[in-house]
């Protein structure tokens, strides 16, 4: 693929995003529904031509030189994809034919089948035969529907990704003890990576599904080249979730699962150390000597409650060993006892916290935290040591204290890392639920009280407990053991799929980041790396996935990027593994966020500049006969949400067809083997010894390289001198502007933007030249496309201008302008803060905001402009003037569309 320098800058480094222009009166909104069964050909929004024949016609998809290629042609292939979830995998034959044609028209060439294995969502949504109490028998009728859908997708050039363990829950009927129902980890995750019976059940399902011959293709899935991917286990790691303390909570497993894991743990320790003496010496090496406590009654607590949470805090004598005024001599070395009454929570647990701050911890020092606590009802309280300043990172302690209605003493040992002098706080997170919590006797002191090998424990007795709190060396061993165990699971499952079943598809175990950096080792033998991310995922204050009690952060990601932060994109980029294809199999900006139209303009251009290989939106949503195809159906469904689906044709050209060029600059960060069990990806990127402090954080393709010795950089070739001057070369660029919270992506054949544009103008397809990584404009450079926006609604809009013939915008004869603002159902029941609609999602047809703008561009010749209907057909000619080489036209609500065609 042709490569050209791509500039991705954060033009303003200020962390404060300027306020957008004053919002005008609400912009006119009008019905705009993209038909679920539309397959109109010959229109500018039809990009089915990108799907080259039936999927697999050119052989299976293989990983080669860090990307995916067709086996027979060696031609690189990129995937714009979506997820068909649960019921979406089992349509009628008639609906399967229609939806397959529709997704192909929109530019999708890969569908991920997800949550098919759910245990209790109803027969229509599950692959299991509900005539049986177990979940080991596949339904013949459901399998027939899946087979026919896959055959229709294949016919239309759409590949498939088959997921194995996603949401299946094991039960006594599946051959497990009754205690399987007590496993706290959803869908039996983590346990399913070491329990031998669970692993056997996973193999059984893989055999039954993948060796089955699809009667409509005459091929078993193990042999069908249209099956591009098989995923072993969605969002899973024995080590732990990305947001959790790695290695934690496994000590809470019920038996026999806890005993099974402890048996493996003891065997691992015995193999590594051989004797108790060697184990003790290793675990106690470098432990800080015991010292005086850092806290006294004079130590001040600080409190916070953010968002819509409500809480009251204050000192109390209850639980204190030495209440104020009752002792003689120096103050006891413990903090004042406190009482916290949490009256309301908002779904974000850290919005309510109590902490002592300003602690001075030494990096590498060992510390013991002790306290007594109780609550009015049983609850779990996260306790952590972290910075009291941006970036608030954890510095060694992260545990969950299980409180009861009786006083209980807690003791935790940890080793400090990444600390900043006098800027550490010990925090109790209380926003998980309402109620009252008492905390007394809080102390932190150097040393390791009660840590290490406990009395009576020994390798010979095989009774060394699963650690809930540990010395650094002990904790490192625990993480290494878990990582080794899950890597063995991943390799065993891959070998079974590849060698025993003969699967030809590309295989991964799970997503990067699950298990932290240990995920690199787990996925080392896999064919590619995959990840997930969501901007402003809904949160649920009281009950997971409560359809009434939830909220979202109703802000745009463009503002986060413009403030110099990561959004979702940089976090995803940091887990790309050098030399492997990279996939994002779940991505979304959740509805009903008012700014979600930015989703694809940002994702498609950034992924193209990073040269990723697969991007999926999660999920397609409900569709077909009997579905409410004319309304936004929930947080994630894109199929009936014009804020996302309307951008798919442009995204296909930007990402799949390569109209947005990958960056020629790259930085690869080494990950030494010793870091894989001890560090987070964030700490690696912060490491000053790597000397990776780019002037523009988004300016280069980013990857990590396990085992590499040094940072590797690739930069554009310095232009040759011509007549004593630098030779300027054209390039693409992306800018995040703090001035008005704007994201702008610009290249010769495709442009995208998102942000507060009301009352402002935007220049696109600039004659932009560069002789360095950061880019400069020579004198005389002029913009070729300008959009001038009056104030409207909330002044936020997202758009793309894409050459559908792949030519530069200035010479293209077929351009598509997609312009989207707010998109809603009618009569949605917003709360006062506009962060939730509860279960009042309203009704169809969806209505969209008519974003007004005047566009001036300099095409090579005169062009005409048309407004398009929801199938892409021309409905009205938009008046346009062409004078002195400039084409000018105005769009807005009167055309009742989000699509405009510019052509001859």
């Amino acid at each position: 693929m042709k490569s050209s320098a791509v500039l991705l800058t954060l033009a303003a480094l200020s962390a404060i995003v300027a306020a957008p222009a004053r919002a005008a009166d609400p912009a006119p909104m009008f019905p705009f529904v993209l038909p679920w069964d539309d397959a109109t050909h010959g229109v500018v929004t039809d990009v089915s031509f990108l799907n080259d024949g039936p999927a697999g016609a050119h052989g299976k998809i293989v990983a080669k030189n860090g990307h995916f290629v067709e086996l027979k042609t060696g031609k690189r292939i990129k995937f714009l994809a979506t997820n068909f979830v649960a019921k979406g995998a089992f349509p009628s034959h008639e609906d399967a034919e229609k939806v397959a044609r529709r997704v192909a028209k929109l530019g999708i060439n890969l569908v991920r089948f997800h949550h098919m294995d759910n245990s209790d969502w109803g027969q229509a949504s599950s692959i299991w035969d509900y005539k049986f109490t177990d979940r080991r028998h596949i339904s013949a009728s459901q399998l027939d529907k899946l087979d026919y859908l896959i055959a229709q997708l294949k016919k239309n050039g759409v590949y498939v990704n088959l997921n194995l363990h996603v949401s299946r829950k094991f039960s006594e009927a599946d051959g497990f003890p009754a205690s399987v129902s007590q496993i706290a980890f959803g869908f039996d995750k983590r346990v399913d990576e070491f329990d031998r019976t669970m692993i056997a059940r996973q193999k059984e399902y893989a055999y039954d599904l993948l060796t089955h011959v699809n009667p409509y293709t005459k091929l078993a899935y193990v042999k069908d080249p249209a099956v591009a991917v098989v995923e072993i286990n969605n969002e899973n790691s024995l080590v732990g979730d990305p947001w959790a303390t790695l290695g934690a909570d496994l000590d809470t497993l019920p038996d026999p699962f806890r005993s099974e894991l402890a048996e493996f743990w003891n065997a691992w320790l015995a193999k590594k150390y051989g004797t108790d003496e060697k184990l003790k010496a290793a675990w106690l090496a470098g432990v800080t000597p015991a010292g005086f406590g850092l806290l006294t009654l004079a130590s001040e607590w600080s409190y916070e409650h953010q968002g819509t949470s409500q809480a009251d805090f204050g000192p109390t004598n209850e639980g204190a060993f030495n209440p104020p005024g009752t002792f003689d001599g120096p103050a006891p070395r413990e903090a004042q006892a406190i009482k916290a009454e949490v009256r309301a929570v908002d779904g974000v647990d850290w919005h309510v916290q109590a902490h002592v701050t300003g602690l001075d911890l030494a990096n590498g020092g060992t510390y013991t935290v002790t306290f007594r606590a109780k609550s009015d009802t049983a609850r779990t309280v996260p306790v952590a040591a972290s910075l009291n300043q941006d970036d608030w990172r954890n510095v060694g302690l992260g545990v969950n204290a299980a409180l009861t209605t009786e006083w209980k003493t807690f003791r935790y040992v940890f080793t400090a890392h990444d600390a900043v002098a006098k800027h550490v706080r010990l925090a109790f997170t209380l926003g998980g639920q309402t109620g009252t919590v008492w905390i007394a006797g809080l102390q932190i002191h150097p040393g390791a009280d009660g840590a290490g090998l406990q009395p009576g424990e020994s390798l010979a007795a095989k009774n060394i407990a699963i650690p809930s709190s540990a010395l650094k060396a002990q904790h490192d061993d625990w993480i290494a053991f878990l990582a080794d165990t899950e890597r063995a699971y991943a390799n065993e499952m891959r070998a079974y799929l590849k060698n025993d079943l003969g699967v030809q598809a590309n295989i991964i175990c799970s997503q990067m980041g699950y298990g932290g950096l240990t995920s690199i080792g787990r996925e080392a033998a896999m064919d590619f790396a995959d990840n997930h991310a969501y901007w402003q995922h809904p949160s649920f204050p009281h009950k997971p996935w409560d359809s009434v009690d939830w909220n979202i952060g109703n802000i745009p990601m463009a503002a986060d990027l413009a403030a110099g932060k990561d959004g979702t994109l940089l976090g995803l980029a940091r887990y790309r593994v050098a030399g492997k294809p990279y996939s994002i199999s779940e991505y979304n900006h959740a509805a009903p966020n008012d700014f979600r139209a930015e989703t694809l303009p940002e994702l498609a251009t950034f992924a193209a500049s990073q040269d990723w290989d697969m991007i999926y939106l999660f999920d397609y949503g409900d569709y077909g006969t009997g579905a409410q195809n004319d309304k936004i159906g929930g947080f994630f469904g894109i199929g009936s949400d014009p804020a996302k689906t309307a951008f798919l044709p442009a995204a296909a050209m930007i990402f799949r067809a390569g109209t947005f060029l990958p960056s020629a600059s790259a930085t690869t960060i080494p990950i030494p083997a010793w870091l894989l069990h001890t560090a987070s990806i964030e700490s690696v990127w912060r490491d000053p010894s790597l000397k990776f402090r780019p002037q523009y954080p988004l300016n280069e393709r980013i990857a990590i390289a396990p085992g590499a010795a040094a940072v590797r950089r690739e930069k554009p070739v310095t232009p040759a001198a011509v007549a004593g001057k630098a030779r300027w070369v054209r390039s693409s660029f992306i800018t995040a502007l703090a001035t008005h919270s704007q994201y702008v992506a610009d290249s010769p054949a495709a442009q995208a933007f998102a942000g507060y544009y009301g009352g402002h103008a935007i220049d696109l397809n600039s004659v932009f030249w560069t002789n360095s990584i950061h880019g400069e404009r020579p004198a005389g450079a002029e913009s070729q496309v300008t959009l001038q926006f009056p104030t409207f609604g909330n002044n936020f809009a997202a758009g793309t201008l894409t050459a559908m013939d792949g030519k530069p915008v200035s010479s293209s004869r077929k351009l598509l302008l997609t312009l989207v603002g707010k998109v809603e159902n009618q009569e949605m029941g917003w709360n006062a803060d506009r962060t939730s609609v509860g279960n009042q999602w309203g009704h169809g047809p969806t209505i969209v905001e008519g974003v007004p703008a005047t566009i001036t561009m300099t095409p090579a010749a005169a062009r005409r402009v048309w407004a398009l209907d929801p199938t892409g057909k021309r409905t009205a000619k938009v008046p346009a003037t062409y004078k002195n080489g400039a084409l000018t036209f105005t769009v807005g609500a009167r055309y009742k569309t989000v699509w405009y065609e510019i052509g001859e």
Side-chain angles (χ1 to χ4, degrees):
M1 175 179 290
K2 181 181 178 182
S3 179
S4 180
V6 180
L7 175 65
L8 295 90
T9 70
L10 292 178
L13 300 179
S14 169
I16 301 175
V17 178
R22 182 188 64 83
D25 293 334
M29 299 187 76
F30 51 85
F32 193 81
V33 176
L34 299 172
W36 79 270
D37 55 355
D38 171 48
T40 305
H41 287 298
V43 294
V44 72
T45 56
D46 175 19
V47 289
S48 59
F49 65 88
L50 292 175
N51 293 4
D52 185 14
H58 302 297
K60 67 180 181 179
I61 303 302
V62 298
K64 184 178 181 181
N65 298 327
H67 298 294
F68 291 117
V69 301
E70 298 168 338
L71 179 64
K72 292 181 179 178
T73 66
K75 178 183 176 182
R76 184 177 176 189
I77 182 169
K78 299 175 75 173
F79 295 92
L80 177 64
T82 190
N83 286 253
F84 280 14
V85 173
K87 184 180 178 181
F90 311 108
S92 68
H93 285 203
E94 182 181 4
D95 287 352
E97 293 172 5
K98 293 177 179 179
V99 77
R101 289 193 294 266
R102 190 213 188 189
V103 297
K105 175 189 174 180
L106 292 170
I108 288 170
N109 63 336
L110 176 64
V111 167
R112 180 176 184 244
F113 287 93
H114 196 62
H115 282 301
M116 293 193 301
D117 67 329
N118 68 85
S119 295
D120 51 11
W121 298 3
Q123 182 65 84
S125 297
S126 177
I127 200 169
W128 303 114
D129 190 336
Y130 272 45
K131 294 193 299 289
F132 297 88
T133 57
D134 63 29
R135 293 299 176 255
R136 299 177 64 185
H137 293 79
I138 291 177
S139 164
S141 60
Q142 291 293 88
L143 187 57
D144 178 76
K145 294 175 184 178
L146 175 67
D147 286 340
Y148 193 78
L149 174 57
I150 289 175
Q152 289 301 308
L153 291 170
K154 179 177 181 176
K155 177 181 176 180
N156 285 275
V158 181
Y159 290 80
V160 298
N161 170 345
L162 295 175
N163 290 190
L164 297 179
H165 188 200
V166 181
S167 50
R168 180 188 192 184
K169 293 189 292 187
F170 296 107
S171 69
E172 288 183 83
D174 298 311
F176 293 90
S179 60
V180 72
S181 64
Q182 300 170 23
I183 295 174
F185 312 125
F187 312 125
D188 302 318
K189 296 300 175 81
R190 303 181 76 179
V191 181
D192 61 352
E193 291 193 337
F194 70 82
D195 180 76
R196 296 310 306 174
T197 306
M198 289 189 185
I199 293 172
R201 296 292 180 269
Q202 293 172 67
K203 291 180 179 179
E204 178 183 69
Y205 174 52
Y207 176 89
D208 291 346
L209 176 64
L210 300 178
T211 64
H212 155 78
V213 175
N214 183 331
Y216 305 104
T217 64
K218 311 301 183 186
L219 290 171
Y221 290 124
V222 294
K223 299 298 183 184
D224 194 338
V227 179
V229 174
V230 171
E231 294 183 27
I232 296 171
N233 208 319
N234 178 68
E235 293 186 351
N236 192 17
S237 171
L238 177 59
V239 182
D241 294 326
W243 54 85
T245 301
L246 298 184
D249 300 328
L250 290 165
D251 60 316
T252 66
L253 283 172
D255 276 330
F257 307 103
R258 185 174 184 274
S259 296
E260 183 181 13
L261 184 60
E263 180 181 349
F264 296 148
W265 165 234
N266 278 264
W268 188 93
L269 290 172
K271 182 177 180 180
K272 179 174 182 178
Y273 292 109
T275 67
D276 292 347
E277 289 70 25
K278 290 181 179 179
L279 184 150
K280 291 177 181 178
W283 283 3
L284 294 174
V287 172
T288 305
F292 288 110
L294 305 181
L295 304 178
T296 70
L297 287 178
S299 300
E300 293 187 3
W301 285 88
S302 55
Y303 312 106
E304 60 181 286
H305 57 90
Q306 303 181 39
T308 59
S309 63
Q310 299 179 30
D312 295 316
F313 305 89
T316 180
N317 289 339
E318 189 170 356
F321 283 164
N322 300 97
T326 66
F327 58 88
D328 296 320
R333 302 200 72 84
E334 64 179 43
Q336 169 69 55
I338 64 164
K339 176 182 178 182
E341 297 181 79
V342 183
R343 293 181 284 107
V345 295
D346 60 8
V348 183
D349 62 354
W350 55 264
H351 275 183
V352 182
Q353 294 187 60
H355 26 63
V356 290
T357 192
L359 301 176
D360 193 4
L361 304 188
N363 286 319
T366 308
Y367 296 90
T368 299
V369 172
T370 56
F371 61 91
R372 301 178 298 282
K374 72 172 184 176
S375 54
D376 58 350
T377 59
R379 66 187 292 157
T380 298
V381 173
V383 182
S386 60
L387 293 190
N388 64 1
Q389 62 185 21
D390 198 20
D391 58 0
W392 315 98
R393 61 180 177 265
N394 186 277
V395 299
L397 177 67
V399 294
N400 292 318
L403 273 61
T404 68
T405 56
E406 301 296 326
W407 284 103
K408 184 178 176 181
T409 298
F410 298 87
R411 177 180 290 105
Y412 301 109
V413 176
F414 72 99
T415 301
H417 59 79
D418 293 323
V420 176
K422 298 182 180 179
H423 281 286
V424 172
R425 69 180 187 181
L426 189 63
F428 294 78
T429 299
L430 304 172
Q433 65 186 73
T434 57
T436 304
V437 172
W438 291 263
I439 302 170
L442 175 64
Q443 186 51 271
I444 177 172
H445 67 81
D449 289 358
L453 205 62
Q454 299 299 299
E457 291 183 344
S458 71
L459 293 173
K462 301 180 181 179
N463 64 347
I464 299 174
I466 293 173
S468 58
S469 172
L471 301 166
K472 182 181 186 303
Q474 182 182 6
H475 182 262
D476 289 349
D477 273 348
W478 175 240
I479 298 299
F481 156 70
L482 296 176
D484 287 352
T485 303
E486 76 164 358
R487 183 171 183 168
Y489 158 81
N491 292 343
E492 177 184 347
M493 288 297 298
R494 176 184 169 81
Y496 177 74
L497 295 173
K498 285 288 188 181
N499 302 335
D500 294 10
L501 302 189
V503 170
Q504 295 187 16
N506 297 279
I507 294 175
I508 61 165
C509 180
S510 197
Q511 282 64 46
M512 301 297 294
Y514 283 81
L517 281 179
T518 67
S519 61
I520 296 173
R522 183 192 65 232
E523 303 298 316
M526 304 300 151
D527 297 298
F528 66 101
D530 182 61
N531 219 327
H532 295 168
Y534 292 83
W535 175 252
Q536 301 301 329
H537 192 286
S539 58
F540 303 89
H542 299 102
K543 186 176 77 173
W545 298 104
D546 190 315
S547 62
V548 177
D549 187 12
W550 58 268
N551 56 70
I552 58 167
N554 201 355
I555 57 176
M557 190 172 75
D560 199 68
L561 294 172
K565 300 181 181 179
D566 289 354
T568 58
L569 301 178
L570 270 175
L572 289 172
R574 288 172 182 154
Y575 264 114
R576 180 185 187 174
V577 179
K580 283 191 173 187
Y582 194 39
S583 160
I584 309 300
S585 63
E586 291 185 23
Y587 188 87
N588 213 326
H589 295 207
N593 184 298
D594 286 325
F595 311 98
R596 67 189 184 281
E598 67 180 337
T599 305
L600 269 173
E602 293 166 352
L603 174 64
T605 52
F606 184 79
S609 71
Q610 290 289 316
D611 207 19
W612 295 347
D613 299 278
M614 293 175 169
I615 54 173
Y616 304 65
L617 290 179
F618 185 94
D619 67 327
Y620 191 75
D622 201 7
Y623 66 87
T625 305
Q628 294 180 299
N629 298 296
D630 67 343
K631 62 172 286 189
I632 302 160
F635 302 120
F636 306 119
I638 68 158
S640 58
D641 187 352
K644 296 159 188 173
T645 305
F647 283 108
L648 281 169
M653 294 301 296
I654 288 169
F655 183 71
R656 289 184 58 196
T659 58
F660 201 93
L661 304 176
S663 173
S665 302
T667 295
T668 302
I669 300 300
I671 309 292
W674 63 269
L675 275 177
L676 294 180
H677 296 157
T678 61
S680 66
I681 191 67
E682 292 78 15
S683 65
V684 170
W685 284 82
R686 282 196 308 267
D687 189 342
S689 68
L690 297 176
K691 300 181 180 178
F692 177 63
R693 306 298 297 177
Q695 183 177 0
Y696 303 104
L698 301 177
N699 197 22
E700 306 161 46
R701 285 180 286 118
I702 296 171
I704 54 178
V711 174
R712 185 173 72 250
R713 298 182 187 273
E714 302 172 29
K715 293 186 178 182
V717 177
T718 303
V722 178
K725 297 182 179 179
R727 177 170 59 84
W728 295 85
V729 294
R730 189 166 186 170
S731 96
S732 305
F733 67 100
I734 294 178
T735 305
L737 298 166
T739 308
H740 302 294
S741 299
Q742 297 172 351
Y743 174 98
V744 183
D746 205 341
S747 78
Q751 292 82 49
F753 56 90
Y756 292 101
Y757 289 104
H760 305 287
I762 176 177
D763 293 335
L764 297 174
N765 200 28
S766 301
V767 180
F768 186 85
W769 312 80
T770 181
N771 67 352
S772 68
I773 196 171
H774 55 274
E776 300 173 24
R777 289 186 185 180
E782 297 178 357
S783 171
Q784 292 185 325
V785 181
T786 298
L787 290 85
Q788 178 68 57
F789 297 87
T791 56
F792 63 91
N794 63 7
N795 291 315
F796 188 93
T800 54
L801 179 63
T802 314
M804 305 306 283
D805 55 9
K807 297 179 180 179
V809 167
S810 59
S811 58
S812 173
R813 298 179 180 183
K814 187 189 291 187
L815 289 165
L816 176 64
L817 172 64
T818 306
L819 192 57
V820 184
K822 190 184 299 181
V823 179
E824 294 185 332
N825 292 329
Q826 298 184 54
E827 298 183 339
M828 297 180 82
W830 286 99
N831 63 2
D833 296 324
R834 205 169 175 84
T835 57
S836 180
V837 298
N839 62 355
Q840 303 301 308
W841 283 87
H843 62 83
T846 51
I847 53 177
V848 304
E849 187 175 40
V851 177
T854 296
I855 295 94
T856 301
M857 55 191 304
T858 55
R863 298 285 186 261
R864 292 181 289 175
V865 184
W866 296 271
L868 308 180
D869 73 8
T871 70
K873 294 179 181 177
R874 298 169 180 175
T875 58
K877 189 173 181 180
V878 178
T881 62
Y882 184 70
K883 184 177 181 180
N884 298 325
L887 178 74
T888 302
F889 59 95
T890 298
V891 300
R894 63 184 177 275
Y895 295 109
K896 293 180 169 46
T897 188
V898 299
W899 280 333
Y900 300 90
E901 180 182 353
I902 304 161
E904 293 182 324

